Amino acid sequence: MPVRPALLALLTLASFTGAAQAADRADLDDCNAPVPLPAAAARPLAQAYWLDARTLQWPGLALRPGERVRLHHARAAGLRAVAGEPVAGADGAVDLAASAAALPARWRFIGDGPRFAVVPGADVAALLREQLLLVHEAADGRVIAATGVQLPGALDDLYAAAEQVGDLGAHPTRAATGFAVWAPTAQRVLLCRYAGADSPAIAADAMRLDAATGVWRAALPGDLSGQAYRYLVDVVTPTHGRVRNLVTDPYSVALTADSQRSLVADLAAPALKPPGWDAAPRPTRVKAATDQVIYELHVRDFSISDATVRPAWRGKYLAFTEARSNGMQHLKALAKAGLTDVHLLPVFDLASVPERGCKTPTVPDAPPDSALQQAAVMAVADEDCFNWGYDPWHFNTPEGSYATDPLRRVIEFRQMVMALHRAGLRVGMDMVYNHMAAVGQAPKSVLDRLVPGYYHRLDAQGAVERSTCCDNTATEHRMMAKLMIDSAALWVREYRIDSMRFDLMGHQPREAMERLQRRVDAEAGRPVQLLGEGWNFGEVADGARFVQASQLSLNGSGIGSFSDRARDAARGRGEAPGALGWLNGGADGETADLIRVGLAGSLRGFELSTWRGETRRLDRIAYGGNQPAGFASEPSEVVNYVENHDNQTLFDANVLKLPPATSRADRARVQMLGAALVAFSQGVAYFHAGQDILRSKSLDRNSYNSGDWFNRLDWRYRSNHFGTGLPPQQDNAGPGGRDWVLARERLADPAIAPGPKEIAWSRDVFRELLRIRQSTPLLRLGSAAEIGKRVSFPGSGAGQNPALVATRIDGAGLPGFKAVMTLINVAPTAQVLDLPAEAGVRWVLHPVQRTGADARVKREARAVQGRFEVPARSAVVFVRQ
């Protein structure tokens, strides 16, 4: 009997419904599956570039008559291109025509080669969702050569409108919850939802692609706050073909433990705000960038060894709310003295620390030069509770290991900010947008598993660049820049971050950083000071790909760059014991001039009488052989420092460089001369936490993964932890253990480690240096014009005494002192500077130093009839009142 049409339709519908249910079950199973470790796969070459949505270029290709280039594509990613054979596994091929289009400026770094235009009618958006091979073919279609194509040029052109999308991520309201993720190359995206952090999936909702932006969306009824979610993405990868990726949201604002799932959260919800959050006041002491005095601090270092913090809060955000702890008393004293900002090492979600179940090493009681301590630490280094955190996983969520429970990370981070603000300290963050923790199909890769080949900077073969030590991002691409800017804005808006320090900022475009500056200022309703590492290296060096946010390219932007000029001059360039600096025995005319460069704010146009007897602009004085010593246009663009988390602490560097017989008291004095150099320099002042209490890492030159043992701080002021074992072997032993030999000699010397007396003296003198800077606006002038008019260096020029550097600052017409004279003497003996022009002027010791902790300065510093007497290894400030 024939099947009637109505019955046939019913049977067909039933069959389709059954298949859909089966598909739903399979999708739910995939939502619950663990993120797998990827099988090993070689990355095929991707030597060709999409220049825009219709144009490609193949650098290095040479075409002979009769040969052609075609773009083959396959949705299931089964393409095979074997030389001498026709392409196999393709769903089709797109003909290309020779293009006379000019090479866009953004692609100026790629090699020469022919350009091709996609013929009219080809659906480029659809092509970008498939596997693509650009194939050089003989006239009969046989393969001569083939390459993959780098996609960012086409994606940026085709989906330029995505830059304006303002609702990426999950956004709950009472009526509905919207989800949006940018994944223009995905063939399908499902929203996996979970009732809670550890619940099985309750739904796999289909998402809809917006063809104009490449954003996939889903809108579901009701407020889904508290539900967990991930995206199930069918996408073609360059290494594994077509895959189904289960991935968290790069715009996550909350996460489950160990970042396994994103959480729907409204950061404006009362449940995520500490009491009083909305009305809490913020410090207003910084009126200009040069008012900043910054203390760089790691959240865990701050309290993990502080017995005055309750055990459950040690190493956590909440330690900052323990108002009577030793650590908070220390920060409050610094704030009272003049510290304005605490800059936290990375506090966004990072990949290297387990958020639950991290291990604590058992470190043996061993001699000060023993290798046993580092062996115990390093045995669990990748599973312990410590890392600096320069391995971003999710940019927009606080790190969970610093919370008492990862699910409380949002509210506890805000409690920390409130506590620091109450203490009179602004909060800065170390922003790491230049690389990610993982790439490709690695389980902790997020961006590259959503849009393979887009977010990361690729080399000429299509491999991810790693010049920053990790998998570099490409903030020159629209949506990576957008992610960075949106993220920075979120931290300012939702967490009240006051200032930002950018890791390896020179790997980012100046243009993107300037857009970020405008955005965060708008979010805050006030200036948010930006500074960063403007180092010039790697594949972007010397503007190879774009105008960088680097030292020499940021002038005029107002964004600050760390200055290695005075840092290297002060410490010595390099870590070798013989690489002496101005502070530790290497004072000569050239070094002293670089010290003056730093004191003058490293300003390009400032003029200095050099040790050679020449008058030169600072940008005409050489640094490092081929760089100008002066690089900044304004003092806001230079950050002065002699120590930060990188490399050995100043105390440790001086252990290797000062004569071994140097007394404990003199080691403390040299440390404070370094602090004085920063405090007396025009620009932004930047100090490393513990620099004021002679911090040592037992000679560790790279403590990023060295655990709590080598990164401890003692707010009791009893020990600086020098001589607590040989530093970790990997970065410190040297070839054949060579460097450990010297380290053993120094660590075993009982005369080096300071006692409570030296630590307390350093603490007190450091605070006095902060008070001097705070009470003396002439030390932090706001413009290059004012510095050029008011700052001079008596005693500079030919015939100078390089061990004694003096700076005179004229205060005529300004409130406060009529003039200030700072003098830093690095010699182990007293020094004299005769200035006949000052003979008729009455100079007196700065009010802070008249009653200060440095008895030598109070007793021996003199200024009489133009003769300035400066005690051995002392920093002295005279003023005209």
Side-chain angles (χ1 to χ4, degrees):
M1 179 183 295
V3 179
R4 289 177 294 181
L7 180 59
L8 179 61
L10 185 60
L11 290 173
T12 302
L13 178 61
S15 174
F16 176 81
T17 302
Q21 290 172 341
D24 289 345
R25 285 193 297 272
D27 291 338
L28 283 173
D29 288 343
D30 286 342
C31 288
N32 291 319
V35 177
L37 284 169
R43 175 180 284 272
L45 294 177
Q47 297 173 314
Y49 296 80
W50 285 94
L51 304 180
D52 55 36
R54 309 299 300 185
T55 314
L56 301 98
Q57 179 163 323
W58 190 340
L61 177 67
L63 281 173
R64 292 174 294 191
E67 296 172 349
R68 65 186 181 186
V69 172
R70 292 203 299 167
L71 186 64
H72 292 258
H73 58 96
R75 185 174 177 82
L79 284 172
R80 295 183 303 282
V82 179
E85 300 178 9
V87 173
D91 293 333
V94 175
D95 291 326
L96 303 174
S99 172
L103 182 69
R106 69 175 290 193
W107 301 113
R108 63 182 179 270
F109 65 92
I110 69 176
D112 292 335
R115 286 185 279 281
F116 305 96
V118 177
V119 296
D123 186 345
V124 174
L127 288 171
L128 293 171
R129 292 192 284 273
E130 302 190 22
Q131 183 188 26
L132 299 175
L133 276 181
L134 201 57
V135 182
H136 178 194
E137 300 176 352
D140 61 1
R142 288 178 297 129
V143 175
I144 298 172
T147 184
V149 188
Q150 298 187 26
L151 306 181
L155 295 175
D156 278 349
D157 189 19
L158 197 62
Y159 299 106
E163 238 180 346
Q164 305 306 316
V165 172
D167 63 345
L168 294 173
H171 295 274
T173 67
R174 286 187 179 181
T177 301
F179 298 84
V181 60
W182 190 69
T185 61
Q187 296 177 359
R188 184 181 185 224
V189 180
L190 297 174
L191 172 67
C192 298
R193 291 190 290 119
Y194 312 83
D198 303 310
S199 307
I202 58 175
D205 302 301
M207 301 187 76
R208 175 181 52 82
L209 175 64
D210 175 11
T213 61
V215 174
W216 293 78
R217 295 183 178 279
L220 301 169
D223 183 344
L224 303 184
S225 292
Q227 284 195 7
Y229 70 100
R230 290 185 285 190
Y231 298 117
L232 201 57
V233 183
D234 294 340
V235 67
V236 172
T237 72
T239 52
H240 291 74
R242 186 168 66 179
V243 298
R244 170 164 281 198
N245 279 333
L246 185 60
V247 61
T248 47
D249 189 343
Y251 274 74
S252 300
V253 297
L255 293 158
T256 63
D258 290 317
S259 313
Q260 294 304 295
R261 297 174 179 177
S262 303
L263 284 170
V264 179
D266 176 8
L267 296 181
L272 294 179
K273 295 178 179 180
W277 171 256
D278 288 331
R282 302 166 68 166
T284 58
R285 298 163 61 188
V286 172
K287 306 301 183 185
T290 51
D291 292 338
Q292 293 175 99
V293 179
I294 298 169
Y295 203 60
E296 183 195 47
L297 180 63
H298 185 275
V299 168
R300 188 170 174 86
D301 291 354
F302 172 65
S303 61
I304 194 61
S305 302
D306 190 347
T308 62
V309 174
R310 65 195 73 183
W313 289 7
R314 292 175 196 165
K316 308 293 185 180
Y317 299 127
L318 290 183
F320 292 90
T321 70
E322 196 86 87
R324 296 184 179 179
S325 71
N326 288 342
M328 280 307 296
Q329 292 301 312
H330 185 86
L331 291 185
K332 289 175 183 177
L334 289 174
K336 184 178 179 182
L339 191 72
T340 64
D341 291 54
V342 166
H343 269 212
L344 301 172
L345 268 70
V347 284
F348 48 70
D349 182 58
L350 49 100
S352 51
V353 176
E355 292 183 347
R356 287 181 175 163
C358 60
K359 296 181 179 179
T360 301
T362 300
V363 183
D365 183 9
D369 61 340
S370 171
L372 294 177
Q373 298 96 323
Q374 66 86 31
V377 169
M378 299 314 291
V380 296
D382 293 333
E383 304 168 90
D384 71 355
C385 309
F386 180 90
N387 198 282
W388 279 348
Y390 289 90
D391 51 345
W393 195 349
H394 298 85
F395 290 125
N396 295 351
T397 307
E399 164 59 16
S401 68
Y402 299 143
T404 57
D405 184 303
L407 297 179
R408 290 186 52 80
R409 63 181 84 198
V410 172
I411 192 167
E412 290 183 4
F413 189 103
R414 286 170 159 171
Q415 288 176 279
M416 173 186 67
V417 171
M418 286 182 71
L420 286 167
H421 282 172
R422 278 197 301 270
L425 291 164
R426 305 188 331 151
V427 182
M429 273 181 64
D430 200 327
M431 320 300 287
V432 188
Y433 296 112
N434 59 85
H435 59 236
M436 297 297 291
V439 73
Q441 288 299 106
K444 294 182 180 180
S445 168
V446 175
L447 302 178
D448 214 29
R449 291 171 67 235
L450 273 171
V451 193
Y454 175 80
Y455 282 102
H456 293 272
R457 188 174 298 123
L458 306 179
D459 66 15
Q461 309 303 315
V464 175
E465 295 278 10
R466 291 181 54 84
S467 58
T468 65
C469 85
C470 308
D471 298 307
N472 294 2
T473 56
T475 41
E476 65 270 30
H477 300 164
R478 286 184 190 273
M479 295 304 284
M480 184 60 224
K482 174 179 171 59
L483 175 56
M484 176 178 73
I485 294 168
D486 287 349
S487 174
L490 179 142
W491 287 104
V492 168
R493 181 179 65 248
E494 302 295 349
Y495 293 98
R496 301 189 177 171
I497 294 302
D498 301 292
S499 55
M500 293 178 173
R501 176 240 192 237
F502 286 79
D503 184 59
L504 298 182
M505 182 174 62
H507 270 57
Q508 290 155 195
R510 169 176 167 150
E511 177 273 334
M513 287 299 301
E514 289 181 315
R515 278 194 287 138
L516 186 151
Q517 178 78 80
R518 292 191 293 271
R519 176 76 178 279
V520 295
D521 287 356
E523 292 284 359
R526 56 174 175 76
V528 175
Q529 289 76 30
L530 306 183
L531 56 94
E533 293 180 307
W535 315 135
N536 176 37
F537 68 98
E539 71 282 358
V540 300
D542 301 321
R545 298 199 179 201
F546 45 76
V547 176
Q548 300 158 259
S550 61
Q551 280 180 336
L552 299 182
S553 302
L554 274 173
N555 60 300
S557 69
I559 297 171
S561 290
F562 286 96
S563 176
D564 44 358
R565 277 62 168 163
R567 179 204 68 188
D568 287 351
R571 293 171 60 109
R573 196 169 190 187
E575 297 180 343
L580 299 181
W582 186 67
L583 294 173
N584 45 47
D588 58 25
E590 185 173 3
T591 303
D593 279 352
L594 283 174
I595 293 296
R596 294 182 179 96
V597 167
L599 288 162
S602 301
L603 294 172
R604 290 170 177 254
F606 188 91
E607 292 190 341
L608 176 68
S609 177
T610 74
W611 69 280
R612 296 181 185 274
E614 305 164 328
T615 298
R616 286 180 171 267
R617 285 168 48 110
L618 300 191
D619 59 3
R620 301 296 176 86
I621 296 175
Y623 161 74
N626 62 352
Q627 297 183 63
F631 64 86
S633 293
E634 294 292 341
S636 61
E637 295 169 6
V638 63
V639 181
N640 300 302
Y641 74 118
V642 293
E643 176 184 321
N644 73 349
H645 67 273
D646 284 320
N647 306 309
Q648 289 161 332
T649 67
L650 181 60
F651 182 90
D652 286 347
N654 285 334
V655 164
L656 299 177
K657 297 182 180 186
L658 285 169
T662 305
S663 69
R664 292 189 182 98
D666 270 4
R667 291 182 187 278
R669 284 193 162 276
V670 173
Q671 182 94 352
M672 287 305 102
L673 296 183
L677 179 61
V678 174
F680 298 167
S681 291
Q682 301 294 333
V684 176
Y686 199 95
F687 299 99
H688 183 213
Q691 182 177 340
D692 50 329
I693 52 174
L694 307 179
R695 183 178 191 173
S696 169
K697 298 179 182 180
S698 209
L699 300 181
D700 192 351
R701 61 170 61 112
N702 189 17
S703 69
Y704 80 99
N705 199 25
S706 299
D708 298 324
W709 185 258
F710 290 97
N711 287 283
R712 288 173 292 169
L713 287 163
D714 183 3
W715 304 127
R716 302 169 302 167
Y717 316 124
R718 296 177 185 173
S719 171
N720 76 336
H721 300 300
F722 178 79
T724 51
L726 282 167
Q729 182 175 11
Q730 176 179 340
D731 290 318
N732 297 282
R738 178 195 65 198
D739 295 348
W740 262 7
V741 173
L742 178 61
R744 276 196 168 99
E745 176 187 317
R746 297 291 196 268
L747 291 168
D749 186 345
I752 291 179
K757 178 181 178 181
E758 291 80 27
I759 294 171
W761 181 88
S762 298
R763 174 201 66 202
D764 295 344
V765 169
F766 183 87
R767 292 175 187 175
E768 289 170 7
L769 292 171
L770 296 191
R771 284 200 289 273
I772 289 170
R773 185 175 176 92
Q774 180 188 49
S775 63
T776 313
L778 291 177
L779 294 174
R780 44 191 169 85
L781 294 168
S783 73
E786 285 289 282
I787 293 170
K789 181 171 69 172
R790 298 181 182 278
V791 174
S792 60
F793 293 103
S796 61
Q800 64 178 266
N801 174 3
L804 178 62
V805 170
T807 310
R808 189 187 195 282
I809 312 170
D810 186 357
L814 297 178
F817 300 122
K818 294 179 180 178
V820 170
M821 183 87 73
T822 69
L823 300 104
I824 304 177
N825 173 20
V826 296
T829 56
Q831 301 293 306
V832 173
L833 179 63
D834 284 313
L835 300 176
E838 303 292 343
V841 178
R842 183 172 181 267
W843 292 92
V844 297
L845 204 58
H846 194 287
V848 170
Q849 289 190 319
R850 290 176 212 164
T851 58
D854 192 337
R856 181 182 293 180
V857 168
K858 288 189 293 184
R859 184 176 61 248
E860 300 177 25
R862 298 284 185 275
V864 180
Q865 292 298 307
R867 181 179 176 85
F868 294 83
E869 300 176 11
V870 185
R873 288 180 169 143
S874 294
V876 179
V877 183
F878 292 105
V879 297
R880 287 183 58 201
Q881 292 180 311

